[in-house]
Amino acid sequence: MDKKMLALSIFLFGFLGTLNLVKAQTTDNKIQEVFINSGDGFGELRKLLKDNFDFTNQDYKEGVVNSDVRFSLSEEGKITNVHANGDCKNVSKEIENVLSHLIYKVDMDKLSQKMLASSYVMPVSVTIDNR
């Protein structure tokens, strides 16, 4: 059980990532894609992903698994269009499953103007211990 707690902790901190780049703006000055990091207002979403991730799947690649999850937010803050891509397709599939089925809305009022975008990219690192 201690290994699972360690993995969960590393998973959470993996979210914090060092990516804080903002991709180029379109000609009408709308940001196309934003990389989110630790101080961006998505902390609760990260916690929900960590808490709902199923670490018991035997098909996960062992070690540190890095993924990027892209998603959109509806006007009401609902997470839509979730797509994850990373080192292990099964981990990516689980990330997509968790985020797609959350009954959660991002508080759009808490996002700064520079965080409003048509899509978001959240780096995710998961550590899968030896079984």
Side-chain angles (χ1 to χ4, degrees):
M1 196 63 171
D2 288 329
K3 286 184 179 183
K4 284 186 181 181
M5 292 303 290
L6 176 63
L8 286 172
S9 296
I10 292 172
F11 180 78
L12 176 63
F13 290 114
F15 274 165
L16 303 178
T18 57
L19 298 174
N20 60 0
L21 302 172
V22 177
K23 283 220 171 179
Q25 295 183 352
T26 62
T27 55
D28 60 350
N29 279 341
K30 289 185 181 176
I31 297 173
Q32 291 180 315
E33 189 173 76
V34 172
F35 284 87
I36 56 179
N37 60 33
S38 61
D40 54 23
F42 287 87
E44 188 176 5
L45 178 60
R46 288 187 183 93
K47 182 178 179 343
L48 288 169
L49 179 57
K50 176 190 69 126
D51 291 346
N52 290 284
F53 192 90
D54 177 14
F55 283 92
T56 62
N57 188 331
Q58 295 296 313
D59 295 329
Y60 295 153
K61 176 183 163 186
E62 291 182 11
V64 177
V65 179
N66 295 304
S67 298
D68 283 331
V69 60
R70 286 176 166 70
F71 60 92
S72 301
L73 296 176
S74 70
E75 289 181 16
E76 301 82 33
K78 177 92 173 99
I79 298 166
T80 61
N81 303 321
V82 180
H83 301 285
N85 189 18
D87 300 339
C88 176
K89 68 178 182 175
N90 294 312
V91 168
S92 294
K93 222 184 272 187
E94 179 64 10
I95 291 169
E96 288 176 2
N97 183 49
V98 170
L99 290 179
S100 295
H101 292 93
L102 282 179
I103 302 172
Y104 173 77
K105 291 183 181 179
V106 173
D107 186 349
M108 300 298 280
D109 294 332
K110 288 186 179 180
L111 296 181
S112 67
Q113 191 64 26
K114 70 177 185 174
M115 289 300 298
L116 297 178
S118 56
S119 65
Y120 299 85
V121 179
M122 184 168 61
V124 178
S125 292
V126 181
T127 300
I128 307 296
D129 286 330
N130 294 337
R131 297 182 188 101

